[in-house]
Amino acid sequence: MLKGAQKQMIVVKTAENRFFEEAYFVVRPNAKTDGEDMVCEAYKIIDACTDKKRGKRDGGAKKYLFAFAVFCSGTAFGALLMGLIHALM
């Protein structure tokens, strides 16, 4: 903790967001704007972060489904190959 340091902070509380309950933003000392603009910018940052998370989750599910299908087809091919080898011996 710094003694004598003064920081301004914006706290954004939201109930609509499924990832965040609250977000804390530390304001730059040289920021020359009103509080409403800062709060709007904070909401933009939160929305951008949650959109990225949703995109990764959707792509991840497709990737795992494809990997599972490849695994099942490889297992079936291996079982067929072992059955043929066993039948020939």
Side-chain angles (χ1 to χ4, degrees), residues 1-8 26 29:
M1 175 183 241
L2 297 174
K3 291 188 179 181
Q6 181 179 359
K7 297 279 184 176
Q8 291 184 341
V26 179

Side-chain angles (χ1 to χ4, degrees), residues 32-69:
K32 304 287 185 204
T33 185
D34 64 346
E36 189 174 323
D37 288 340
M38 289 185 200
V39 172
C40 289
E41 187 66 25
Y43 274 112
K44 287 179 191 176
I45 293 169
I46 292 171
D47 288 340
C49 290
T50 56
D51 287 343
K52 290 177 187 174
K53 294 283 184 186
R54 278 190 217 119
K56 285 183 181 179
R57 179 173 289 159
D58 292 341
K62 290 178 184 177
K63 181 173 61 173
Y64 288 123
L65 182 61
F66 178 73
F68 181 71

